[in-house]
Each structure stands twice: as C-alpha cells, then as structure tokens.
C-alpha cells in the first residue's frame, strides 16, 4: 500500500456515542455518529446502558461509514480504535470489534488515545482550516477532562495543567442540574447565556496555584447562591434564568482564559488550540478569538463536528501512526484511565 492510497477505518466508543469514520490520505470521507438519547432520562451517562447501546450501534455505524465513503472493507489499510480513556464497558465494545475486524482482514491495528485525538483533530486535512505549528498549547475541555497541554510534535505532548476535581463539562452540567435544566446542560447554558447579562451575578473564581484548575468550589458557590435567592423569591430561577446562565458561563470562561494566559506567559508560546466537547461552546470560542487581539495569540478552533466525540479525530491519529508504522498487536487491552 503506497503512502498515496491510505484508507483508515476509525472507531470511537469511549462514552455514549458510537462513531465510525473513513479517512483517505488525511481527508475525511465519512464521519458517522450514533447518539444515545436514553441517558437524558437519568441526568447523566449510565455506563451499563452505554455499553449495551454500543453493541447495538457499532455494526450499522461502521457499515454506514464504509458505504458513505464508497469503499469496501478489503480496501482498508488499517483499523484505528479508541483504547482509552473512557468508560470501560464502552471501550471494550469498540476495542473488541476493531481487533476482530483487523484480524479478519489481516491488516494493522492501531490504538488511539482519546485525548490525543482531540488535540490532533486540528491536523485533519480541511481546505479552510489552518493547522497549528509546533510548539503550540492545546486546551482540552470536555465532560471528563480539563487540561492544558504543551504540544511539541504529533506524538510529543506534555500535560502542564489539569483539573484537580471536576472537569469543565461537569461544572456546566452540575450547574445546569441545580437550575432544573436537562442533560447535557452545557449547550442550554450556552444558548441562554447569549440572552442574559454575564455580569448580573458574581461568582468567586477558585484560587488554584500554577496551571491547574478547580471547579468543585464554583459548583458549591452556585448551589448556595441559588438556595439563598430561591428562599427569598421562589420564582428567582424562572425570572432570571438567562442572567444566571450568562453569569455562570462568564465565570467559567474567565477561569479557562486566566490559566491559558498564564500558560502562554510561562512557556512563551502564542499559538493556542482547543479541543474536546466543551470547545463547541460559543462563548469559549469567542473568548479565545478575542485573545488574538488582547494577548497576541494565534488561535486554532476545529470544525464543530470534530469537537464532540467523533471518529474523524481517531482516524487522523490512526493515519499519522500508520505513516510511522506504529501498530498494536492483538494482545492490546482497553484502558479506562489511559494517560496522555
């Protein structure tokens, strides 16, 4: 197989979305995602239900990805899959399927770190998107992770800051739950924040030394604030919901930008990229773009469909590792707490 004809089938099953993508020489031919709506009833992802849904979705999702890409499985160069981190039951479904398919087709198997994939999604070949030059700082923000990563090459990365408790996605979702919003609450808070006053209410930013983050204190502060206001006015949430959402989002964005400013100052790096599901938040995207004027940054924001969990980002890592001949063998196991 020449370097001019590399087809990667990628599989992502780390949490509650089953995804498959086909990449040809760094360009995405298909990117299919099957969402699991059942978790909305429970206000969060139920691991056992997630793994069962993956079992139901994975074959039709892979089949659809191949059909949309207009190729058959015999043309594939390799199978890439998410090894971790994530929910163990969900990871096992994708890992087992990928191993079996690669074995049956007698082609290479490539394991991918989910968090590295969020960062390397910036290197998917897209005509209108510029790739960040090395070195750059990547902020990965999702329901389970909040990290600042120094990226010196495709496979040379160092976490220089991370959350010591809740991730930023949890901060949005738990705050939303206090306000009676559905799951996930992040998109609804983002939508309502555009309608409210971000400075209507002030929440204290947690004080954490260095480049690490903390969001549990903010969640507690919001809880006490809401309880106090509702006691004085039972209709407070209903009457001021847009302002509350705007103030919460403004505070969270401030925490993220403050740490990015410090990371940029300490490293001297002005190229800033974001990734992860929470990077779809319009307020965060706007604040990052504003940093170009305020702090002299050059910012890199991936396409919306490459921010939430998807297989296209797994495919680009698979493509890059394929070029390096960096393959896994059939003994490889899923790892729920895989480090970057």
């Amino acid at each position: 197989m020449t370097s001019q004809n590399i087809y990667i089938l990628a599989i992502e099953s780390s949490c509650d979305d089953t995804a498959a993508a086909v990449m040809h020489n760094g360009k995405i031919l298909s990117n299919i995602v099957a969402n699991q709506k059942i978790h909305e009833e429970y206000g969060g992802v139920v691991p056992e239900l997630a793994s069962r849904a993956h079992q139901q979705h994975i074959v039709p999702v892979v089949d659809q990805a191949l059909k949309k890409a207009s190729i058959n499985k015999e043309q594939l160069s390799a199978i890439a899959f998410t090894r971790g981190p994530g929910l163990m039951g969900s990871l096992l479904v994708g890992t087992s399927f990928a191993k079996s398919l690669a074995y049956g087709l007698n082609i290479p198997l490539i394991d991918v770190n989910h968090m590295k994939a969020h960062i390397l999604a910036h290197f998917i070949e897209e005509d209108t998107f510029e790739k960040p030059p090395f070195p750059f700082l990547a902020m990965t923000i999702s329901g389970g992770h909040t990290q600042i990563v120094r990226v010196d090459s495709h496979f040379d990365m160092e976490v220089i800051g991370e959350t010591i408790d809740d991730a930023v996605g949890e901060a949005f979702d738990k705050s939303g739950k206090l306000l009676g919003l559905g799951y996930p609450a992040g998109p609804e808070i983002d939508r309502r924040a555009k309608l409210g006053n971000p400075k209507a209410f002030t929440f204290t930013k947690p004080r954490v030394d260095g480049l690490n983050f903390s969001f549990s204190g903010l969640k507690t502060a919001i809880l006490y604030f809401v309880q106090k206001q509702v006691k004085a006015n039972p209709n407070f949430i209903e009457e001021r919901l847009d302002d509350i959402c705007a103030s919460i989002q403004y505070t969270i964005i401030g925490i993220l930008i403050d740490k990015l400013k410090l990371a940029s100052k300490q490293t001297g790096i002005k190229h800033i990229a974001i990734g992860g599901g929470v990077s779809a938040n319009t307020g965060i995207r706007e604040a990052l773009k504003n940093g170009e004027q305020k702090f002299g940054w050059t910012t890199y924001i991936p396409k919306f469909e490459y921010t939430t969990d998807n297989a296209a980002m797994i495919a680009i890592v698979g493509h890059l590792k394929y070029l390096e001949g960096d393959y896994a063998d059939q003994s490889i196991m899923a790892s729920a707490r895989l480090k970057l």
Side-chain angles (χ1 to χ4, degrees):
M1 190 74 67
T2 69
S3 61
Q4 297 303 310
N5 197 27
I6 300 171
Y7 288 97
I8 303 293
L9 171 66
I11 295 167
E12 152 63 18
S13 67
S14 64
C15 191
D16 61 336
D17 291 333
T18 313
V22 175
M23 172 172 280
H24 179 229
N25 295 342
K27 288 192 174 185
I28 291 297
L29 301 182
S30 63
N31 188 29
I32 308 300
V33 181
N35 303 115
Q36 299 178 10
K37 298 294 185 183
I38 191 169
H39 305 286
E40 295 175 5
E41 300 175 27
Y42 300 94
V45 176
V46 182
E48 178 62 25
L49 294 179
S51 57
R52 289 181 187 178
H54 283 303
Q55 290 176 319
Q56 296 172 341
H57 292 161
I58 194 162
V59 172
V61 164
V62 168
D63 183 59
Q64 190 177 352
L66 290 169
K67 286 179 178 176
K68 187 173 181 181
S70 298
I71 69 165
N72 58 59
K73 59 183 183 294
E74 286 75 24
Q75 292 174 263
L76 294 172
S77 307
I79 311 293
F81 70 97
T82 301
R83 182 187 175 201
L87 301 175
M88 193 61 182
S90 297
L91 291 167
L92 284 171
V93 176
T95 300
S96 300
F97 185 90
K99 289 168 69 172
S100 300
L101 187 56
Y103 183 82
L105 294 173
N106 193 28
I107 58 176
L109 177 71
I110 300 173
D111 64 300
V112 174
N113 182 302
H114 180 86
M115 299 312 295
K116 282 186 179 179
H118 273 306
I119 294 171
L120 294 179
H122 288 274
F123 293 88
I124 296 171
E125 293 290 342
E126 290 282 347
D127 293 337
T128 58
F129 282 81
E130 188 178 354
K131 299 180 181 69
F134 301 114
F136 66 91
L137 295 178
M139 185 172 68
T140 54
I141 44 179
S142 67
H145 296 84
T146 305
Q147 299 175 328
I148 298 177
V149 182
R150 178 184 173 125
V151 185
D152 288 301
S153 74
H154 291 133
F155 300 110
D156 184 5
M157 303 181 186
E158 178 189 4
V159 177
I160 59 175
E162 60 188 338
T163 182
I164 60 175
D165 43 56
D166 288 354
V168 65
E170 292 175 287
F172 275 113
D173 289 336
K174 290 179 179 179
S175 298
K177 190 172 184 178
L178 295 174
L179 300 174
L181 302 179
Y183 174 85
E188 181 65 7
I189 290 176
D190 187 24
R191 186 185 72 81
R192 289 186 173 275
K194 298 173 187 175
L195 306 174
N197 176 7
K199 297 183 180 179
F201 307 108
T202 301
F203 301 109
T204 303
K205 296 178 184 177
R207 293 184 179 181
V208 183
D209 291 337
L211 298 176
N212 287 336
F213 299 86
S214 172
F215 291 99
S216 64
L218 175 62
K219 176 197 67 178
T220 303
I222 293 169
L223 170 64
Y224 290 156
F225 167 79
V226 170
Q227 288 177 337
K228 180 180 178 181
Q229 296 296 328
V230 169
K231 186 175 182 180
N233 175 12
N235 298 319
F236 172 73
I237 294 176
E238 181 181 338
E239 293 173 359
R240 303 296 302 275
L241 184 55
D242 292 344
D243 287 340
I244 300 170
C245 289
S247 300
I248 290 172
Q249 179 154 300
Y250 179 80
T251 304
I252 290 175
I253 291 171
I255 294 169
L256 296 176
I257 296 299
D258 285 349
K259 292 296 184 178
L260 267 181
K261 283 164 55 181
L262 182 59
S264 178
K265 181 179 179 180
Q266 288 184 358
T267 62
I269 297 172
K270 296 286 189 178
H271 293 277
I272 313 290
I274 59 170
V278 181
S279 65
N281 180 284
T282 58
I284 293 173
R285 286 173 170 242
E286 183 179 349
L288 198 65
K289 293 301 290 184
N290 288 342
E292 294 187 331
Q293 296 293 327
K294 290 182 178 180
F295 317 121
W297 294 345
T298 303
T299 59
Y300 304 86
I301 302 173
K303 289 178 68 175
F304 179 82
E305 57 261 43
Y306 300 152
T307 55
T308 53
D309 290 349
N310 66 92
M313 68 182 193
I314 306 302
I316 187 60
V317 183
H319 176 78
L320 293 168
K321 292 184 78 169
Y322 183 88
L323 294 176
E324 298 284 325
D326 186 2
Y327 309 145
D329 60 41
Q330 286 288 327
S331 65
I332 196 160
M333 301 292 290
S335 176
R337 297 187 180 277
L338 190 64
K339 296 296 183 182
L340 187 63

